[in-house]
Amino acid sequence: MPFAALGLCPAIAKAVAAAGYTEPTPVQAAAIPAALAGQDLLVSAQTGTGKTAAFMLPALARLANPSEVRSYGPRVLVLTPTRELALQVTRAAETYGKFLRRVRVVSILGGMPYPVQNRLLKGPVDILVATPGRLIDHMRSGRIDFARLEILVLDEADRMLDMGFIEDIETVVAATPASRQTVLFSATLDGSVGTLARRLTRDARRIDISNARTRHENIEQVLHYADDQRHKMRLIDHYLRGVDVDQAIVFTATKRSADEVADALVSQGFAAAALHGDMNQGQRNRTLGNMRRGNLKVLVATDVAARGIDVQTITHVFNFDLPRAAEDYVHRIGRTGRAGRCGIAVSLAGARDHGQVRQIERLTTRAIRVHVVPGLEPRIAPTRRAPAGPTRRPPNRGAAFAPRQGAGRFAAAGAKTARPAGKPTARGAR
Ligand code: AMP
C-alpha cells in the first residue's frame, strides 16, 4: 500500500518521501486512516514499528486546518515516559512537518531549565511533547492552556505506568477538553494499562501490532511452494493424514474457494466444512458447534468468518491462499497454539507470491522456513527464493499420499472422479 492511499495531504506526503519511506509500516497502515477519521485509538505497538509516524502524521494533518479556538495553547499533546523519547518524537514532528507552514513544536522535559521552558510556552504552540512530571509543574503555574487541544497522544503508556506516572497522567487528562481525540500506544494493552486505556478513550479502535512480533513463538511456521491448486490440495492431504493433526483450519482467499476446498476435502474422506459470510448465522453456528464438539476435522474458512474462532484442539492452520494483508497472517495462525499449546502453520505459496511472503516476514520479523515434501516438490521454481530441505514427516505416516478421489479444479493429480454435488456444511463424523 503506498503512502498516498492513506489520505495524507501533499505537504506531509512530501516529507515522508524525503525521509526515504516508500510504504507505510503495518501500524501506520492501520492507524493513520483511523486517526485521520478522528477515531480514538488503542494501539499495541512496540518501538521500532514506525509508531511515531503512525500518530504524528495524522496529527500534523489536523494542523493543516486552522483552529477555531483563540488560544496559544497546544493543539496536540504527546506525553512520553522519558526525555529521550520526547526528543525523538519532537524530531519526528519537525521532520514530518517541515513542508507545512507554521507548525511550532515545543518539548517540555525534566532536567531542562525552567526559564527556557517558560519562554517557549509564552508563544503559540501547536505540538507539545512532554514528560508528565514537568508538564504538571507548568500546568500548576498556569503556563499551559488546553482550550484548543484536539489530540492527546499517550506514547509508551505501559512504561509511563511502570514509572509511576499514573496520577500525573490522570491530572493532565482531566485538564484537557472532553472533545479531544485520544490515541494511546503501548507495548501491551493488558492489565492496568488496558484499564487506563479504556477509561481515557471513547469507542476506541484497537490495533494490535506488537502481538505480531511477540506472540506465536509456540507455532511452528513453514512454507511450501506449490505449482497450482491441485498441488496445494495434495500438500494439504499429505499433512492432514499425519497423526499429529487433531483439527485444522484451512484459509482461502474467497468464499467460492472455501466451498470448493471443503468439497474436495470431503471427497478425499475428511470430515470438512466451509465457513464463510454467504452462510446464514444459523449455518455458521452449527458448523462452529460441530468443530467445537470434534465432529469436524477441518474447517475451511475465509478471514472474516474465522475471526474470533477459539477452538483449543486446532493443531494446524493452513494458508491455502496467502492473506492479502500481512496482518491477517498473524490473525490466521493465531487460531492454533491456543491456551499455551503448540501449533503448526503451513502456508502454501505460488511461485510468484514472494512479495507477500516477504511482507509477512517483515511484519513478524522472522523468516518462514521453506519445506519440500519428497514426491511433492514444486516444478516451478519460486522467484528469488529456493526451497531449503525436506519437511519433517509426521511419524507413523506410512504411505503418506496416494492419489484419491478429487474434486473439480482442486482435484489432486491422478484423481479419477469428479466433485460430488453437495452443500458446504458439516459432513460426516471424524
Ligand atoms: P519508531 O517505531 O517510531 O521508533 O520508528 C522506528 C524507525 O522506523 C525510525 O527510525 C523511523 O524513522 C523508521 N520508519 C518509520 N516509518 C517508516 C516507514 N514507513 N518506512 C521506513 N522506515 C520508517
Side-chain angles (χ1 to χ4, degrees), residues 3 20-25 28 46-53 88 96:
F3 265 104
Y21 306 167
T22 49
E23 58 179 280
T25 64
Q28 292 162 5
Q46 286 167 333
T47 183
T49 54
K51 66 180 172 62
T52 314
Q88 208 177 301
Y96 305 140

Side-chain angles (χ1 to χ4, degrees), residues 120-133:
L120 288 171
L121 291 171
K122 272 200 179 120
V125 179
D126 293 301
I127 300 177
L128 182 61
V129 186
T131 48

